[in-house]
Amino acid sequence: MVSRRRRRALCAMLALSALLGACAQIDQNRLRSDLAQRVWRGRLALRVESNPVQSFSAGLELRGDAQVGELLLFSPLGTTLLAVSWRPGQATLRRDGGAREFDSMSTLTQEALGADLPMNALFAWLAGDNARIAGWQADLSGLGSGHLAARRSEPAPAAELRLILEP
């Protein structure tokens, strides 16, 4: 069950996304439709084999597609750890009361998580398409029960992404 505070924060973030989209002359009906139709909730775990090894896990809510979307990561107690929104040519990371702008999701994920996450492939994988991307291999065998795993072997450092989605 989503708390009233979390709902307000989510509504504020969606409103901000819509406002920013209007400034870029994005079709607002398409944006709202994309964000409303595609929603995944569950848990995310990411391990990056850097020195030292970085390991991260959180609750997640993912909306949209590889072109326009939003990712919220939550602590076990439901506190928003970070919020990411993206559209063509721009990605925004909101954390600890501040916001940082990036020119792409690739740049943002590399800096924030230590690994470039392939957003196009991720959304294809979530749809059951075993999209190929250089250096990454996805295991979709558990997708029917809400499990997705992907491993990056190159470029270094190696990384492993795991999602457990709610039904």
Side-chain angles (χ1 to χ4, degrees):
M1 186 155 206
V2 178
S3 72
R4 178 176 286 162
R5 184 175 171 193
R6 189 188 276 168
R7 257 188 255 134
R8 285 182 186 156
L10 180 58
C11 287
M13 299 221 18
L14 286 174
L16 181 59
S17 293
L19 178 61
L20 291 173
C23 294
Q25 299 178 337
I26 292 175
D27 180 353
Q28 292 302 299
N29 292 330
R30 178 178 170 257
L31 176 63
R32 283 189 203 101
S33 174
D34 283 351
L35 291 176
Q37 290 177 5
R38 299 179 190 104
V39 179
W40 295 270
R41 291 180 180 91
R43 297 218 31 93
L44 168 144
L46 177 67
R47 180 178 171 92
V48 180
E49 301 292 331
S50 57
N51 188 12
V53 171
Q54 297 179 44
S55 186
F56 177 81
S57 66
L60 86 107
E61 183 170 295
L62 176 64
R63 297 176 173 272
D65 60 28
Q67 298 303 310
V68 177
E70 178 179 62
L71 170 66
L72 302 174
L73 296 180
F74 303 101
S75 74
L77 297 176
T79 304
T80 301
L81 299 172
L82 65 89
V84 176
S85 59
W86 61 91
R87 64 176 190 236
Q90 183 178 1
T92 304
L93 170 67
R94 290 176 191 79
R95 175 174 41 192
D96 300 328
R100 292 188 57 201
E101 300 291 328
F102 297 85
D103 62 355
S104 69
M105 275 300 290
S106 175
T107 306
L108 185 152
T109 59
Q110 180 66 45
E111 185 163 324
L113 304 173
D116 178 11
L117 299 180
M119 295 305 284
N120 287 333
L122 176 61
F123 283 98
W125 297 335
L126 288 168
D129 177 10
N130 197 3
R132 305 284 183 203
I133 186 159
W136 283 87
Q137 183 168 7
D139 177 3
L140 306 182
S141 62
L143 196 55
S145 61
H147 293 83
L148 171 72
R151 181 150 179 80
R152 182 181 77 180
S153 55
E154 47 186 51
E160 184 172 21
L161 173 68
R162 294 188 175 275
L163 298 178
I164 299 174
L165 303 171
E166 295 175 358

